[in-house]
Amino acid sequence: MSEQLDHAFWENRYRTTTPHVQPNPHLTVEAAELPPGRALDAGCGEGAEAVWLAAHGWRVTAVDFATAALERARERADIRGPEVADRIDWLTADLTEWTPPESSFDLVCSHYAHPVTGAETLLRRLAPAVAPGGTLLIVGHHPTDAHSTAHASGVHVTAESLAAKLDPTRWEIMVAENRSRTVTHGSHQIELRDAVLVARKHR
C-alpha cells in the first residue's frame, strides 16, 4: 500500500529511522567540477548534500519543512566543525509555498523532493533562483523505479518531462537521462532508477 507523504510522514520518518549518511552520488559527480559559490539545497532532508557542498567550499542555503530532518542536519554539520557548519544557513520552509530569491544561486539542487504539487511545479519554482551561468540539478524517482513504487504514489518523474519545462532560449540541457545505481539497505542490495536533470542557465 502506498503512503501519504505529508508533513507528519516525514517528521515521523526522520525521528524513527537510521540517519542517511552519504550525499547523493549524482550531486557529487555533477558538482565536482563546478567552482564553489552559493548553493540552494531544496528539500535538504538530513543535510548530507548540504554538508558535502559546504565542505567543498560552497555557501549553502538548505531548506526543508521537517524540523526533525533539520535537527539531524545541524548535528551533522556541527560534527564537521565551524569551517563547515558556518557555511550553511538552515531554513524551515515548505517548498510548495516558499519562493527562493531570484537569480541568487550558482547551484540549485533538489534530490527526491516530493511536493504534493509535483516535480514539474517544483522545477518552475526553483529554476528562477539560478543565477545566470549557474546550474540546476534535479534528481527524482523514475517511473520504472520499483523501490519507490512500492512505497508511495505520485513521486515519479522523467528527466525528459523536466527538461521540456525549461525555455531552450534561456537554458542549456547538460544531462537529461535515467540512471541506475545499486545501494545497500541492511543486508540487501537494491537497484534504484533515477531521473537526472542538469541544466545551465545562459548568461
Side-chain angles (χ1 to χ4, degrees), residues 70-136:
L70 292 176
E71 288 171 7
R72 285 186 173 184
R74 289 190 181 94
E75 290 173 358
R76 175 179 306 208
D78 288 343
I79 290 172
R80 298 292 298 270
E83 65 277 8
V84 170
D86 290 351
R87 300 187 67 84
I88 307 173
D89 297 316
W90 305 103
L91 177 62
T92 305
D94 188 333
L95 294 176
T96 65
E97 301 173 354
W98 179 74
T99 300
E102 189 170 345
S103 301
S104 296
F105 300 96
D106 304 294
L107 171 66
V108 173
C109 61
S110 182
H111 306 86
Y112 312 115
H114 303 134
V116 294
T117 52
E120 294 176 6
T121 300
L122 177 64
L123 173 74
R124 288 193 291 269
R125 185 175 289 269
L126 295 181
V130 180
T135 299
L136 176 69

Side-chain angles (χ1 to χ4, degrees), residues 4 20 25 29 77 88-89:
Q4 181 67 36
H20 175 68
V29 168
I88 307 173
D89 297 316

Side-chain angles (χ1 to χ4, degrees), residues 187-203:
S187 60
H188 304 284
Q189 286 196 323
I190 300 172
E191 182 183 41
L192 303 180
R193 290 187 57 79
D194 298 329
V196 182
L197 172 72
V198 182
R200 186 168 300 152
K201 183 177 281 188
H202 297 316
R203 295 185 182 276

